[in-house]
Amino acid sequence: MALTIRQVRHFIATAEAGRVSAAAAGLNVTQSAVTASIKALEAEIGRKLFDRHSNGVTLTFDGQQFLQRARAIEASVADATRGPHRWGTQVDGTVDVAVSYTVAGYFLPPLLSRFWRAFPGLTVRLHEFERDAIEHSLMSGSVDAAVMLVSNLHDRRSICSRRLLRSTRRLWTCANHPLLHKDSVRLADLAAEPFLMLTVDEAERSAMRYWQCTPHVPNVIFRTLSVEAVRSMVATGMGITILSDMVYRPWSLEGHRIDLKTLDDDVHTMDVGLAWKSKARLSPAARAFCEFVALAYPGPDPVHFD
């Protein structure tokens, strides 16, 4: 049996949601259909892609590796069926795009590589800013669009956005941490644990949004702008953290294992998206960029850049 794009899409949705039921609801299919797709996919590639738990699923090491390939497969299919012929003649010119730190490091490179292959005559000038500066640059017109964490977007009346990727936040621990063996883990179970707080891209502000829904506060022992510092400290057992799957890697730079666990509390996702000024008149180059990005991550509703 050959691998199918349906299986790939079901796998990606489950990886992002952390639960088969949530993936099925988002895809508007039955749980049994998603489960069957994943089982068939695992049989086809000969690897276990998910660890099953009472409160959801987490990617195995092989699953993490396959997720990158699965997204490339989905993107290639989208390119083949809705490629640059959509814009008629080849577009050229320049588009200025603001990006946040996390997006620049963990999301944007593969997308830009595909865009440049499709539009070799179009130049993308990138500008890395913090969230407030991104919003200001969109409103002032100094950039045409932004790829950012739209879950942090403040001015939702003047700035339009389209979510591209929803990334689940999970608990990160060192290998064999006692919390991994619990059937259920909530924020209350983490309050006494040494907590490593990432601060880049308003990560601390985002974290406190879900902590403030409980009577507990994290026992923060270190704050840092560095994802790699958090990764290394978690892997060596210095503490735990809660971060999104998009920045997760199963190994630290030193080669130590990092494990994941899905929390039972409602911890909001980290959403990456495309943003542009409401009612802005986009140049042909900017429109081509925005439409290409939106089509690369198709959503349930069409998007219009008017």
Side-chain angles (χ1 to χ4, degrees):
M1 181 182 69
L3 178 149
T4 69
I5 188 61
R6 181 169 179 259
Q7 292 168 354
V8 169
R9 286 172 175 157
H10 288 187
F11 165 76
I12 292 172
T14 304
E16 292 179 353
R19 289 180 172 85
V20 172
S21 58
L27 294 165
N28 197 28
V29 298
T30 64
Q31 284 186 235
S32 59
V34 176
T35 299
S37 285
I38 292 171
K39 286 183 178 178
L41 188 57
E42 289 179 323
E44 177 67 21
I45 65 177
R47 297 287 188 274
K48 183 181 179 183
L49 300 175
F50 290 104
D51 286 322
R52 279 77 174 175
H53 311 287
S54 59
N55 62 337
V57 296
T58 54
L59 288 166
T60 63
F61 178 69
D62 289 321
Q64 279 288 337
Q65 290 189 316
F66 185 72
L67 180 59
Q68 309 306 315
R69 299 189 184 100
R71 286 179 172 149
I73 291 169
E74 186 179 49
S76 295
V77 171
D79 288 350
T81 58
R82 291 176 286 194
H85 62 271
R86 173 184 176 87
W87 292 270
T89 59
Q90 186 66 44
V91 179
D92 56 17
T94 300
V95 55
D96 286 280
V97 180
V99 296
S100 63
Y101 171 87
T102 305
V103 165
Y106 295 92
F107 178 81
L108 197 62
L111 180 63
L112 273 185
S113 176
R114 290 168 45 219
F115 179 76
W116 282 325
R117 288 197 300 271
F119 294 93
L122 206 157
T123 300
V124 179
R125 291 192 300 219
L126 297 177
H127 310 269
E128 184 179 294
F129 299 133
E130 295 184 357
R131 190 266 314 157
D132 56 349
I134 290 177
E135 295 192 35
H136 177 76
S137 65
L138 286 170
M139 294 305 300
S140 69
S142 60
V143 300
D144 300 295
V147 184
M148 61 182 295
L149 303 183
V150 292
S151 43
N152 293 347
L153 188 61
H154 178 70
D155 190 351
R156 297 180 183 273
R157 298 183 63 180
S158 303
I159 297 174
C160 299
S161 66
R162 162 71 177 275
R163 189 180 70 230
L164 304 172
L165 173 69
R166 171 166 281 174
S167 184
T168 302
R169 286 183 167 95
R170 304 184 210 271
L171 171 67
W172 293 18
T173 76
C174 62
N176 297 316
H177 193 286
L179 287 168
L180 298 173
H181 306 298
K182 293 173 65 71
D183 291 335
S184 173
V185 175
R186 308 184 69 92
L187 291 173
D189 301 313
L190 310 183
E193 297 284 337
F195 195 90
L196 300 161
M197 183 67 78
L198 185 68
T199 58
V200 71
D201 264 357
E202 301 179 307
E204 183 168 10
R205 174 186 168 201
S206 297
M208 295 313 298
R209 281 170 53 199
Y210 52 78
W211 277 103
Q212 287 166 0
C213 294
T214 78
H216 309 286
V217 293
N219 175 28
V220 178
I221 62 166
F222 184 59
R223 289 177 169 83
T224 178
L225 293 165
S226 170
V227 178
E228 294 307 323
V230 171
R231 201 187 313 278
S232 293
M233 291 179 181
V234 168
T236 54
M238 289 180 60
I240 61 169
T241 196
I242 299 171
L243 289 175
S244 80
D245 287 351
M246 190 178 80
V247 301
Y248 172 73
R249 302 293 182 271
W251 306 99
S252 70
L253 293 175
E254 300 80 16
H256 299 295
R257 173 80 186 183
I258 300 165
D259 281 324
L260 296 178
K261 190 156 185 83
T262 302
L263 295 166
D264 277 3
D265 286 308
D266 184 17
V267 176
H268 59 269
T269 58
M270 185 179 77
D271 298 343
V272 178
L274 179 70
W276 65 99
K277 183 181 179 181
S278 178
K279 300 179 180 179
R281 291 180 60 87
L282 297 178
S283 67
R287 180 180 290 272
F289 177 83
C290 289
E291 290 187 353
F292 183 93
V293 170
L295 288 171
Y297 291 86
D301 302 313
V303 60
H304 304 284
F305 300 100
D306 298 325

PDB file of all heavy atoms in Angstrom, residues 55-86:
ATOM      1  N   ASN A  55      -3.938  10.664  28.129  1.00  0.00           N
ATOM      2  CA  ASN A  55      -4.408  12.023  27.851  1.00  0.00           C
ATOM      3  C   ASN A  55      -3.996  12.533  26.473  1.00  0.00           C
ATOM      4  O   ASN A  55      -4.008  13.721  26.216  1.00  0.00           O
ATOM      5  CB  ASN A  55      -3.907  12.996  28.928  1.00  0.00           C
ATOM      6  CG  ASN A  55      -2.394  13.080  28.970  1.00  0.00           C
ATOM      7  OD1 ASN A  55      -1.706  12.166  28.532  1.00  0.00           O
ATOM      8  ND2 ASN A  55      -1.871  14.173  29.492  1.00  0.00           N
ATOM      9  N   GLY A  56      -3.624  11.627  25.573  1.00  0.00           N
ATOM     10  CA  GLY A  56      -3.295  12.054  24.228  1.00  0.00           C
ATOM     11  C   GLY A  56      -2.136  11.272  23.631  1.00  0.00           C
ATOM     12  O   GLY A  56      -1.862  10.130  24.035  1.00  0.00           O
ATOM     13  N   VAL A  57      -1.482  11.878  22.672  1.00  0.00           N
ATOM     14  CA  VAL A  57      -0.350  11.242  22.002  1.00  0.00           C
ATOM     15  C   VAL A  57       0.804  12.230  21.900  1.00  0.00           C
ATOM     16  O   VAL A  57       0.591  13.450  21.864  1.00  0.00           O
ATOM     17  CB  VAL A  57      -0.727  10.755  20.584  1.00  0.00           C
ATOM     18  CG1 VAL A  57      -1.784   9.674  20.634  1.00  0.00           C
ATOM     19  CG2 VAL A  57      -1.174  11.915  19.692  1.00  0.00           C
ATOM     20  N   THR A  58       2.007  11.712  21.877  1.00  0.00           N
ATOM     21  CA  THR A  58       3.190  12.533  21.629  1.00  0.00           C
ATOM     22  C   THR A  58       4.025  11.859  20.558  1.00  0.00           C
ATOM     23  O   THR A  58       4.007  10.628  20.399  1.00  0.00           O
ATOM     24  CB  THR A  58       4.039  12.718  22.900  1.00  0.00           C
ATOM     25  OG1 THR A  58       4.364  11.429  23.445  1.00  0.00           O
ATOM     26  CG2 THR A  58       3.298  13.541  23.929  1.00  0.00           C
ATOM     27  N   LEU A  59       4.753  12.658  19.811  1.00  0.00           N
ATOM     28  CA  LEU A  59       5.585  12.124  18.745  1.00  0.00           C
ATOM     29  C   LEU A  59       6.787  11.364  19.303  1.00  0.00           C
ATOM     30  O   LEU A  59       7.415  11.797  20.270  1.00  0.00           O
ATOM     31  CB  LEU A  59       6.087  13.260  17.856  1.00  0.00           C
ATOM     32  CG  LEU A  59       5.051  13.917  16.935  1.00  0.00           C
ATOM     33  CD1 LEU A  59       5.617  15.219  16.382  1.00  0.00           C
ATOM     34  CD2 LEU A  59       4.627  12.993  15.813  1.00  0.00           C
ATOM     35  N   THR A  60       7.100  10.257  18.697  1.00  0.00           N
ATOM     36  CA  THR A  60       8.353   9.571  18.984  1.00  0.00           C
ATOM     37  C   THR A  60       9.481  10.312  18.269  1.00  0.00           C
ATOM     38  O   THR A  60       9.243  11.266  17.514  1.00  0.00           O
ATOM     39  CB  THR A  60       8.298   8.125  18.475  1.00  0.00           C
ATOM     40  OG1 THR A  60       8.141   8.139  17.046  1.00  0.00           O
ATOM     41  CG2 THR A  60       7.137   7.354  19.107  1.00  0.00           C
ATOM     42  N   PHE A  61      10.703   9.861  18.471  1.00  0.00           N
ATOM     43  CA  PHE A  61      11.820  10.457  17.741  1.00  0.00           C
ATOM     44  C   PHE A  61      11.613  10.308  16.236  1.00  0.00           C
ATOM     45  O   PHE A  61      11.810  11.251  15.466  1.00  0.00           O
ATOM     46  CB  PHE A  61      13.136   9.809  18.170  1.00  0.00           C
ATOM     47  CG  PHE A  61      14.339  10.323  17.423  1.00  0.00           C
ATOM     48  CD1 PHE A  61      14.786  11.613  17.619  1.00  0.00           C
ATOM     49  CD2 PHE A  61      15.012   9.518  16.511  1.00  0.00           C
ATOM     50  CE1 PHE A  61      15.890  12.108  16.923  1.00  0.00           C
ATOM     51  CE2 PHE A  61      16.108   9.994  15.814  1.00  0.00           C
ATOM     52  CZ  PHE A  61      16.546  11.295  16.029  1.00  0.00           C
ATOM     53  N   ASP A  62      11.197   9.112  15.800  1.00  0.00           N
ATOM     54  CA  ASP A  62      10.917   8.895  14.382  1.00  0.00           C
ATOM     55  C   ASP A  62       9.757   9.770  13.919  1.00  0.00           C
ATOM     56  O   ASP A  62       9.751  10.258  12.778  1.00  0.00           O
ATOM     57  CB  ASP A  62      10.591   7.423  14.120  1.00  0.00           C
ATOM     58  CG  ASP A  62      11.806   6.517  14.239  1.00  0.00           C
ATOM     59  OD1 ASP A  62      12.895   6.935  13.806  1.00  0.00           O
ATOM     60  OD2 ASP A  62      11.671   5.404  14.768  1.00  0.00           O
ATOM     61  N   GLY A  63       8.781   9.964  14.803  1.00  0.00           N
ATOM     62  CA  GLY A  63       7.655  10.819  14.464  1.00  0.00           C
ATOM     63  C   GLY A  63       8.070  12.262  14.258  1.00  0.00           C
ATOM     64  O   GLY A  63       7.584  12.942  13.342  1.00  0.00           O
ATOM     65  N   GLN A  64       8.971  12.752  15.116  1.00  0.00           N
ATOM     66  CA  GLN A  64       9.482  14.111  14.961  1.00  0.00           C
ATOM     67  C   GLN A  64      10.187  14.282  13.625  1.00  0.00           C
ATOM     68  O   GLN A  64      10.015  15.286  12.930  1.00  0.00           O
ATOM     69  CB  GLN A  64      10.447  14.453  16.100  1.00  0.00           C
ATOM     70  CG  GLN A  64       9.774  14.863  17.392  1.00  0.00           C
ATOM     71  CD  GLN A  64       9.153  16.252  17.291  1.00  0.00           C
ATOM     72  OE1 GLN A  64       9.554  17.065  16.472  1.00  0.00           O
ATOM     73  NE2 GLN A  64       8.176  16.509  18.140  1.00  0.00           N
ATOM     74  N   GLN A  65      10.996  13.301  13.262  1.00  0.00           N
ATOM     75  CA  GLN A  65      11.709  13.381  11.990  1.00  0.00           C
ATOM     76  C   GLN A  65      10.736  13.328  10.811  1.00  0.00           C
ATOM     77  O   GLN A  65      10.877  14.068   9.839  1.00  0.00           O
ATOM     78  CB  GLN A  65      12.725  12.246  11.889  1.00  0.00           C
ATOM     79  CG  GLN A  65      13.910  12.400  12.840  1.00  0.00           C
ATOM     80  CD  GLN A  65      14.987  11.385  12.576  1.00  0.00           C
ATOM     81  OE1 GLN A  65      14.711  10.203  12.373  1.00  0.00           O
ATOM     82  NE2 GLN A  65      16.237  11.827  12.583  1.00  0.00           N
ATOM     83  N   PHE A  66       9.722  12.453  10.923  1.00  0.00           N
ATOM     84  CA  PHE A  66       8.777  12.321   9.819  1.00  0.00           C
ATOM     85  C   PHE A  66       7.884  13.551   9.693  1.00  0.00           C
ATOM     86  O   PHE A  66       7.424  13.870   8.583  1.00  0.00           O
ATOM     87  CB  PHE A  66       7.912  11.069  10.001  1.00  0.00           C
ATOM     88  CG  PHE A  66       6.997  10.811   8.829  1.00  0.00           C
ATOM     89  CD1 PHE A  66       7.499  10.358   7.624  1.00  0.00           C
ATOM     90  CD2 PHE A  66       5.639  11.054   8.933  1.00  0.00           C
ATOM     91  CE1 PHE A  66       6.667  10.148   6.537  1.00  0.00           C
ATOM     92  CE2 PHE A  66       4.795  10.847   7.857  1.00  0.00           C
ATOM     93  CZ  PHE A  66       5.310  10.380   6.650  1.00  0.00           C
ATOM     94  N   LEU A  67       7.639  14.261  10.793  1.00  0.00           N
ATOM     95  CA  LEU A  67       6.794  15.447  10.733  1.00  0.00           C
ATOM     96  C   LEU A  67       7.376  16.482   9.770  1.00  0.00           C
ATOM     97  O   LEU A  67       6.633  17.123   9.010  1.00  0.00           O
ATOM     98  CB  LEU A  67       6.630  16.058  12.127  1.00  0.00           C
ATOM     99  CG  LEU A  67       5.762  17.317  12.222  1.00  0.00           C
ATOM    100  CD1 LEU A  67       4.344  17.055  11.714  1.00  0.00           C
ATOM    101  CD2 LEU A  67       5.725  17.833  13.667  1.00  0.00           C
ATOM    102  N   GLN A  68       8.677  16.665   9.787  1.00  0.00           N
ATOM    103  CA  GLN A  68       9.303  17.619   8.875  1.00  0.00           C
ATOM    104  C   GLN A  68       9.090  17.182   7.424  1.00  0.00           C
ATOM    105  O   GLN A  68       8.783  17.997   6.545  1.00  0.00           O
ATOM    106  CB  GLN A  68      10.806  17.735   9.174  1.00  0.00           C
ATOM    107  CG  GLN A  68      11.145  18.008  10.635  1.00  0.00           C
ATOM    108  CD  GLN A  68      10.434  19.222  11.191  1.00  0.00           C
ATOM    109  OE1 GLN A  68      10.379  20.271  10.548  1.00  0.00           O
ATOM    110  NE2 GLN A  68       9.892  19.102  12.395  1.00  0.00           N
ATOM    111  N   ARG A  69       9.229  15.883   7.173  1.00  0.00           N
ATOM    112  CA  ARG A  69       9.031  15.378   5.816  1.00  0.00           C
ATOM    113  C   ARG A  69       7.563  15.466   5.409  1.00  0.00           C
ATOM    114  O   ARG A  69       7.242  15.767   4.250  1.00  0.00           O
ATOM    115  CB  ARG A  69       9.510  13.924   5.729  1.00  0.00           C
ATOM    116  CG  ARG A  69      10.991  13.735   6.050  1.00  0.00           C
ATOM    117  CD  ARG A  69      11.443  12.324   5.745  1.00  0.00           C
ATOM    118  NE  ARG A  69      12.829  12.120   6.130  1.00  0.00           N
ATOM    119  CZ  ARG A  69      13.211  11.516   7.245  1.00  0.00           C
ATOM    120  NH1 ARG A  69      12.304  11.074   8.095  1.00  0.00           N
ATOM    121  NH2 ARG A  69      14.491  11.366   7.519  1.00  0.00           N
ATOM    122  N   ALA A  70       6.673  15.201   6.374  1.00  0.00           N
ATOM    123  CA  ALA A  70       5.243  15.250   6.072  1.00  0.00           C
ATOM    124  C   ALA A  70       4.809  16.648   5.673  1.00  0.00           C
ATOM    125  O   ALA A  70       4.022  16.832   4.733  1.00  0.00           O
ATOM    126  CB  ALA A  70       4.441  14.772   7.286  1.00  0.00           C
ATOM    127  N   ARG A  71       5.331  17.653   6.374  1.00  0.00           N
ATOM    128  CA  ARG A  71       4.991  19.029   6.018  1.00  0.00           C
ATOM    129  C   ARG A  71       5.547  19.392   4.637  1.00  0.00           C
ATOM    130  O   ARG A  71       4.920  20.130   3.879  1.00  0.00           O
ATOM    131  CB  ARG A  71       5.518  19.982   7.088  1.00  0.00           C
ATOM    132  CG  ARG A  71       4.685  19.936   8.375  1.00  0.00           C
ATOM    133  CD  ARG A  71       5.221  20.851   9.438  1.00  0.00           C
ATOM    134  NE  ARG A  71       4.302  20.911  10.576  1.00  0.00           N
ATOM    135  CZ  ARG A  71       4.665  21.094  11.831  1.00  0.00           C
ATOM    136  NH1 ARG A  71       5.948  21.250  12.117  1.00  0.00           N
ATOM    137  NH2 ARG A  71       3.775  21.152  12.799  1.00  0.00           N
ATOM    138  N   ALA A  72       6.719  18.870   4.319  1.00  0.00           N
ATOM    139  CA  ALA A  72       7.287  19.117   2.994  1.00  0.00           C
ATOM    140  C   ALA A  72       6.440  18.445   1.912  1.00  0.00           C
ATOM    141  O   ALA A  72       6.238  19.004   0.829  1.00  0.00           O
ATOM    142  CB  ALA A  72       8.722  18.601   2.937  1.00  0.00           C
ATOM    143  N   ILE A  73       5.929  17.253   2.205  1.00  0.00           N
ATOM    144  CA  ILE A  73       5.059  16.549   1.250  1.00  0.00           C
ATOM    145  C   ILE A  73       3.787  17.347   1.020  1.00  0.00           C
ATOM    146  O   ILE A  73       3.376  17.580  -0.127  1.00  0.00           O
ATOM    147  CB  ILE A  73       4.711  15.137   1.770  1.00  0.00           C
ATOM    148  CG1 ILE A  73       5.944  14.243   1.754  1.00  0.00           C
ATOM    149  CG2 ILE A  73       3.580  14.518   0.936  1.00  0.00           C
ATOM    150  CD1 ILE A  73       5.763  12.929   2.490  1.00  0.00           C
ATOM    151  N   GLU A  74       3.154  17.791   2.106  1.00  0.00           N
ATOM    152  CA  GLU A  74       1.917  18.560   1.986  1.00  0.00           C
ATOM    153  C   GLU A  74       2.161  19.854   1.215  1.00  0.00           C
ATOM    154  O   GLU A  74       1.355  20.259   0.365  1.00  0.00           O
ATOM    155  CB  GLU A  74       1.345  18.863   3.364  1.00  0.00           C
ATOM    156  CG  GLU A  74      -0.013  19.540   3.323  1.00  0.00           C
ATOM    157  CD  GLU A  74      -0.575  19.803   4.712  1.00  0.00           C
ATOM    158  OE1 GLU A  74       0.167  20.361   5.555  1.00  0.00           O
ATOM    159  OE2 GLU A  74      -1.741  19.474   4.951  1.00  0.00           O
ATOM    160  N   ALA A  75       3.276  20.502   1.499  1.00  0.00           N
ATOM    161  CA  ALA A  75       3.595  21.749   0.816  1.00  0.00           C
ATOM    162  C   ALA A  75       3.854  21.512  -0.671  1.00  0.00           C
ATOM    163  O   ALA A  75       3.439  22.306  -1.516  1.00  0.00           O
ATOM    164  CB  ALA A  75       4.820  22.396   1.456  1.00  0.00           C
ATOM    165  N   SER A  76       4.518  20.421  -1.011  1.00  0.00           N
ATOM    166  CA  SER A  76       4.805  20.116  -2.412  1.00  0.00           C
ATOM    167  C   SER A  76       3.527  19.860  -3.192  1.00  0.00           C
ATOM    168  O   SER A  76       3.393  20.268  -4.352  1.00  0.00           O
ATOM    169  CB  SER A  76       5.728  18.900  -2.516  1.00  0.00           C
ATOM    170  OG  SER A  76       6.986  19.172  -1.949  1.00  0.00           O
ATOM    171  N   VAL A  77       2.577  19.177  -2.551  1.00  0.00           N
ATOM    172  CA  VAL A  77       1.289  18.933  -3.199  1.00  0.00           C
ATOM    173  C   VAL A  77       0.566  20.251  -3.448  1.00  0.00           C
ATOM    174  O   VAL A  77       0.002  20.487  -4.525  1.00  0.00           O
ATOM    175  CB  VAL A  77       0.421  17.984  -2.348  1.00  0.00           C
ATOM    176  CG1 VAL A  77      -0.995  17.913  -2.900  1.00  0.00           C
ATOM    177  CG2 VAL A  77       1.034  16.600  -2.307  1.00  0.00           C
ATOM    178  N   ALA A  78       0.597  21.139  -2.448  1.00  0.00           N
ATOM    179  CA  ALA A  78      -0.045  22.447  -2.604  1.00  0.00           C
ATOM    180  C   ALA A  78       0.629  23.242  -3.726  1.00  0.00           C
ATOM    181  O   ALA A  78      -0.043  23.892  -4.533  1.00  0.00           O
ATOM    182  CB  ALA A  78       0.031  23.225  -1.293  1.00  0.00           C
ATOM    183  N   ASP A  79       1.952  23.175  -3.794  1.00  0.00           N
ATOM    184  CA  ASP A  79       2.675  23.881  -4.854  1.00  0.00           C
ATOM    185  C   ASP A  79       2.309  23.346  -6.236  1.00  0.00           C
ATOM    186  O   ASP A  79       2.142  24.096  -7.189  1.00  0.00           O
ATOM    187  CB  ASP A  79       4.196  23.736  -4.661  1.00  0.00           C
ATOM    188  CG  ASP A  79       4.703  24.557  -3.486  1.00  0.00           C
ATOM    189  OD1 ASP A  79       3.930  25.376  -2.955  1.00  0.00           O
ATOM    190  OD2 ASP A  79       5.865  24.367  -3.105  1.00  0.00           O
ATOM    191  N   ALA A  80       2.177  22.017  -6.326  1.00  0.00           N
ATOM    192  CA  ALA A  80       1.911  21.395  -7.618  1.00  0.00           C
ATOM    193  C   ALA A  80       0.510  21.724  -8.126  1.00  0.00           C
ATOM    194  O   ALA A  80       0.295  21.888  -9.323  1.00  0.00           O
ATOM    195  CB  ALA A  80       2.086  19.878  -7.512  1.00  0.00           C
ATOM    196  N   THR A  81      -0.450  21.807  -7.211  1.00  0.00           N
ATOM    197  CA  THR A  81      -1.840  22.027  -7.620  1.00  0.00           C
ATOM    198  C   THR A  81      -2.238  23.491  -7.673  1.00  0.00           C
ATOM    199  O   THR A  81      -3.183  23.849  -8.365  1.00  0.00           O
ATOM    200  CB  THR A  81      -2.791  21.287  -6.660  1.00  0.00           C
ATOM    201  OG1 THR A  81      -2.561  21.749  -5.317  1.00  0.00           O
ATOM    202  CG2 THR A  81      -2.557  19.789  -6.712  1.00  0.00           C
ATOM    203  N   ARG A  82      -1.503  24.325  -6.907  1.00  0.00           N
ATOM    204  CA  ARG A  82      -1.862  25.741  -6.879  1.00  0.00           C
ATOM    205  C   ARG A  82      -0.609  26.602  -6.947  1.00  0.00           C
ATOM    206  O   ARG A  82      -0.379  27.472  -6.133  1.00  0.00           O
ATOM    207  CB  ARG A  82      -2.650  26.056  -5.607  1.00  0.00           C
ATOM    208  CG  ARG A  82      -4.023  25.419  -5.605  1.00  0.00           C
ATOM    209  CD  ARG A  82      -4.727  25.660  -4.296  1.00  0.00           C
ATOM    210  NE  ARG A  82      -4.177  24.849  -3.227  1.00  0.00           N
ATOM    211  CZ  ARG A  82      -4.788  24.672  -2.051  1.00  0.00           C
ATOM    212  NH1 ARG A  82      -5.923  25.267  -1.807  1.00  0.00           N
ATOM    213  NH2 ARG A  82      -4.236  23.924  -1.112  1.00  0.00           N
ATOM    214  N   GLY A  83       0.209  26.302  -7.933  1.00  0.00           N
ATOM    215  CA  GLY A  83       1.511  26.948  -8.064  1.00  0.00           C
ATOM    216  C   GLY A  83       1.438  28.330  -8.645  1.00  0.00           C
ATOM    217  O   GLY A  83       0.387  28.961  -8.696  1.00  0.00           O
ATOM    218  N   PRO A  84       2.560  28.849  -9.149  1.00  0.00           N
ATOM    219  CA  PRO A  84       2.630  30.243  -9.588  1.00  0.00           C
ATOM    220  C   PRO A  84       1.765  30.562 -10.802  1.00  0.00           C
ATOM    221  O   PRO A  84       1.565  31.734 -11.103  1.00  0.00           O
ATOM    222  CB  PRO A  84       4.118  30.432  -9.919  1.00  0.00           C
ATOM    223  CG  PRO A  84       4.682  29.067 -10.051  1.00  0.00           C
ATOM    224  CD  PRO A  84       3.877  28.199  -9.160  1.00  0.00           C
ATOM    225  N   HIS A  85       1.211  29.502 -11.491  1.00  0.00           N
ATOM    226  CA  HIS A  85       0.304  29.808 -12.590  1.00  0.00           C
ATOM    227  C   HIS A  85      -0.916  30.589 -12.117  1.00  0.00           C
ATOM    228  O   HIS A  85      -1.598  31.224 -12.908  1.00  0.00           O
ATOM    229  CB  HIS A  85      -0.152  28.511 -13.276  1.00  0.00           C
ATOM    230  CG  HIS A  85      -0.906  27.593 -12.375  1.00  0.00           C
ATOM    231  ND1 HIS A  85      -0.273  26.639 -11.597  1.00  0.00           N
ATOM    232  CD2 HIS A  85      -2.224  27.491 -12.098  1.00  0.00           C
ATOM    233  CE1 HIS A  85      -1.182  25.976 -10.900  1.00  0.00           C
ATOM    234  NE2 HIS A  85      -2.372  26.467 -11.178  1.00  0.00           N
ATOM    235  N   ARG A  86      -1.183  30.526 -10.798  1.00  0.00           N
ATOM    236  CA  ARG A  86      -2.306  31.285 -10.235  1.00  0.00           C
ATOM    237  C   ARG A  86      -2.161  32.784 -10.525  1.00  0.00           C
ATOM    238  O   ARG A  86      -3.151  33.490 -10.652  1.00  0.00           O
ATOM    239  CB  ARG A  86      -2.359  31.027  -8.720  1.00  0.00           C
ATOM    240  CG  ARG A  86      -3.377  31.874  -7.967  1.00  0.00           C
ATOM    241  CD  ARG A  86      -3.272  31.605  -6.480  1.00  0.00           C
ATOM    242  NE  ARG A  86      -4.178  32.466  -5.730  1.00  0.00           N
ATOM    243  CZ  ARG A  86      -5.441  32.172  -5.469  1.00  0.00           C
ATOM    244  NH1 ARG A  86      -5.953  31.049  -5.908  1.00  0.00           N
ATOM    245  NH2 ARG A  86      -6.195  33.006  -4.763  1.00  0.00           N
TER     246      ARG A  86
END
